Amino acid sequence: MGSTLPIALPALKTSPKFIFFTDFDGTITAQDSNDFMTDTLGFGPDLRRQGNADVLNGRRHFRDAFRDMLDSIRNTPFKECIDILRKNIDLDPGFKQFYEWAKENNVPIVVLSGGMEPVIRALLAHMLGQEAADEMQIVSNGVAAREGMNINQPGGWQIVYHDDSGFGHDKSLEIRPYARLPAEERPVLFYAGDGVSDFSAAQETDLLFAKAGRDLITYCEKGDVPYTTFNDFSDILATVKDIVAGKLTVQEAAAGRK
């Protein structure tokens, strides 16, 4: 009887030996688009940082703190938000090279984001081209109009969460079916992230890349979660290349802070 796993698990379509799951904001991008909108169009950095601290210390769920951030962007229509982000958000300096290497070497990239898919696709199209934006698998939250309004009215849009979890999008739910595959079918799994939206994914893959100086490292050190630090995707590319070539194991790579 033929396996139906590739249908249920899209990243298996090309029978890869490695899969790279990654956050988007502050990981693939140099800046976090949601933080930028909140700081410049919403209630500002102080309340945003307090919300992140509350999540990090277990006082609030991420979904509630994040909704408060986005709800504070009351005066900017969604299309205008996209236009502003295109002008202000940059691609991580090493990601284009990593993306091209991964494509050439059959390492699928799966974006798992606590942000909003329309924003992600718009920024990827702007920074990498429409083909990359169309072909990359993205699992994220949606956007919808508020009742009786249009998303392109001031205050007219709102986030629509991917699931009912405290994260809004529990990234572990996307990774675990791959992790539970039989050993002979299971690829090596990587994850890269930087912040509080990545806590749900931190313990689900074979190797976690945590961005230097960010909240994900604090979380990992509090919970004794193995990880390796990166500054940009050039660090990630060097490590993943060595693992794919058999020069380095994932256990050896999980060295913590660098």
Side-chain angles (χ1 to χ4, degrees):
M1 183 175 178
S3 172
T4 60
L5 283 172
I7 297 173
L9 304 176
L12 293 182
K13 183 179 179 182
T14 58
S15 301
K17 296 186 182 300
F18 303 87
I19 299 174
F20 197 93
F21 296 95
T22 179
D23 176 49
F24 182 76
D25 281 292
T27 303
I28 288 177
T29 59
Q31 309 91 357
D32 186 303
S33 67
N34 304 296
D35 289 357
F36 180 85
M37 288 194 293
T38 303
D39 291 355
T40 60
L41 305 172
F43 56 36
D46 291 342
L47 287 176
R48 173 182 61 76
R49 291 190 190 106
Q50 182 59 56
N52 285 345
D54 288 343
V55 174
L56 184 60
N57 291 298
R59 293 189 292 267
R60 297 190 75 191
H61 288 306
F62 175 79
R63 70 181 294 134
D64 299 325
F66 192 57
R67 185 183 293 281
D68 285 352
M69 282 173 51
L70 298 181
D71 283 353
S72 76
I73 306 166
R74 298 188 184 94
N75 299 318
T76 311
F78 190 70
K79 184 179 182 301
E80 188 175 331
C81 288
I82 297 285
D83 292 340
I84 290 169
L85 292 175
R86 284 195 187 104
K87 295 172 185 174
N88 289 280
I89 302 300
D90 301 309
L91 192 68
D92 174 278
F95 184 75
K96 186 174 188 291
Q97 185 180 4
F98 179 84
Y99 166 76
E100 291 169 348
W101 177 88
K103 191 172 181 179
E104 290 170 3
N105 289 274
N106 191 27
V107 180
I109 297 172
V110 181
V111 176
L112 303 181
S113 172
M116 297 169 283
E117 184 174 347
V119 171
I120 295 166
R121 291 205 185 273
L123 289 177
L124 281 175
H126 177 66
M127 296 182 294
L128 277 182
Q130 193 62 54
E131 181 181 347
D134 290 342
E135 72 181 10
M136 203 174 295
Q137 185 187 351
I138 299 170
V139 185
S140 187
N141 302 303
V143 177
R146 296 184 186 276
E147 187 174 355
M149 300 185 76
N150 182 287
I151 63 170
N152 290 318
Q153 292 177 258
W157 60 274
Q158 61 183 330
I159 191 168
V160 178
Y161 281 119
H162 183 266
D163 56 51
D164 294 329
S165 70
F167 295 98
H169 175 201
D170 184 342
K171 300 178 182 185
S172 70
L173 300 179
E174 188 69 23
I175 299 171
R176 283 178 188 166
Y178 293 91
R180 291 171 177 167
L181 288 169
E184 64 275 12
E185 298 181 45
R186 185 191 183 283
V188 174
L189 308 176
F190 303 103
Y191 185 82
D194 72 312
V196 292
S197 76
D198 300 305
F199 295 172
S200 64
Q203 301 183 61
E204 301 298 330
T205 59
D206 300 298
L207 180 61
L208 170 67
F209 292 91
K211 194 164 189 177
R214 303 294 177 86
D215 287 338
L216 182 56
I217 287 181
T218 304
Y219 172 84
C220 289
E221 295 194 339
K222 276 186 172 183
D224 199 25
V225 177
Y227 70 96
T228 188
T229 305
F230 75 99
N231 292 292
D232 61 43
F233 263 87
S234 63
D235 298 331
I236 292 174
L237 178 57
T239 301
V240 172
K241 274 184 172 180
D242 282 349
I243 292 171
V244 169
K247 297 177 181 178
L248 183 71
T249 68
V250 291
Q251 291 80 15
E252 290 167 340
R257 291 185 189 269
K258 290 183 180 176

